[in-house]
Amino acid sequence: MKFLKQVGDYAKETVQAARYIGQGLSVTFDHMQRRPITVQYPYEKLIPSERFRGRIHFEFDKCISCEVCVRVCPINLPVVDWEFNKESKKKQLKHYSIDFGVCIFCGNCVEFCPTNCLSMTEDYELSTYDRHELNYDNVALGRLPYKVTQDPMVTPLRELAYLPKGVMEPHDLPPGSVRAGQRPEEILEQMEK
Ligand code: SF4
Ligand code: SF4
């Protein structure tokens, strides 16, 4: 009886092992049908998502030097350099800067700025040889980055979340193919109805 039990256990374990091997190979065979989805950066770039929080853009003329952005920043990062103008009895902005070597891109400053002079851009290419070069002054912050979709040197590719259902690969998409799910503007349209 003991011998038969041992044979039974052995057969059970063999079937289980075969099942696990089959499961593993099914993943391998599934991937063998797919093309590599490597993005040939910097010649090809993925289009950042709608809510991507990249480098901050700043509009000097809109800033009222209220320093709300400094107070809501978890690390009090933005530097607002202003002086009081006795004639107009208003604060006058002289310089504004954010150090992106320290910023955590939380977006609090953008969210709370009362005059909307701060906004998040798609810009994620911030690498430099010297981290101090990441301290952007108001001139650098005022530059708008080139959009991936408008750059003639770059082939824009849709990232996974924006591909049609079941599609894994952003190359050679048939024209007019739409992504799975709804775009934010479509959701807004539905809410307004
Ligand atoms: S994104 Fe966040 S961390 Fe960066 S400056 Fe704004 S509030 Fe501060
Ligand atoms: S919150 Fe906006 S308006 Fe106020 S200092 Fe910061 S950038 Fe300027």
Side-chain angles (χ1 to χ4, degrees):
M1 283 302 280
K2 197 181 170 194
F3 174 72
L4 279 177
K5 191 180 175 303
Q6 273 179 340
V7 171
D9 288 347
Y10 183 73
K12 219 188 286 175
E13 277 169 24
T14 310
V15 170
Q16 213 164 31
R19 212 173 65 218
Y20 291 149
I21 291 170
Q23 277 174 356
L25 284 176
S26 72
V27 176
T28 310
F29 290 136
D30 186 38
H31 278 265
M32 278 170 74
Q33 295 169 2
R34 297 179 191 170
R35 277 179 52 185
I37 53 169
T38 315
V39 173
Q40 300 294 336
Y41 181 86
Y43 309 107
E44 295 177 342
K45 288 183 193 169
L46 292 176
I47 304 167
S49 60
E50 289 109 355
R51 294 178 188 83
F52 183 78
R53 296 200 294 243
R55 196 261 292 165
I56 291 165
H57 176 249
F58 172 71
E59 292 172 75
F60 192 93
D61 296 338
K62 282 191 188 173
C63 180
I64 53 171
S65 311
C66 63
E67 291 181 281
V68 165
C69 51
V70 186
R71 270 174 273 147
V72 296
C73 176
I75 40 180
N76 296 350
L77 185 58
V79 177
V80 189
D81 178 17
W82 56 269
E83 64 180 11
F84 191 72
N85 187 326
K86 284 181 187 162
E87 282 173 23
S88 63
K89 295 198 170 106
K90 281 182 181 167
K91 289 176 178 174
Q92 194 168 355
L93 182 65
K94 291 171 73 186
H95 299 284
Y96 186 93
S97 64
I98 296 177
D99 189 347
F100 292 111
V102 188
C103 175
I104 56 169
F105 298 89
C106 65
N108 274 1
C109 53
V110 176
E111 201 68 40
F112 287 92
C113 172
T115 59
N116 288 337
C117 59
L118 296 168
S119 54
M120 290 296 199
T121 69
E122 298 181 342
D123 192 7
Y124 52 83
E125 291 170 315
L126 295 171
S127 50
T128 54
Y129 285 107
D130 179 357
R131 65 185 304 172
H132 301 295
E133 285 174 22
L134 291 170
N135 192 358
Y136 280 38
D137 64 1
N138 42 270
V139 178
L141 284 168
R143 288 190 202 112
L144 272 170
Y146 228 87
K147 280 179 95 67
V148 172
T149 44
Q150 288 169 359
D151 191 343
M153 307 292 281
V154 166
T155 306
L157 296 176
R158 289 197 227 167
E159 65 176 39
L160 196 58
Y162 299 97
L163 294 175
K165 196 175 177 199
V167 177
M168 300 289 292
E169 216 267 302
H171 298 89
D172 311 324
L173 278 177
S177 52
V178 288
R179 77 176 205 194
Q182 293 171 307
R183 296 182 63 84
E185 53 266 32
E186 289 167 348
I187 296 169
L188 278 175
E189 258 175 44
Q190 275 185 2
M191 285 167 71
E192 282 165 10
K193 278 179 195 169

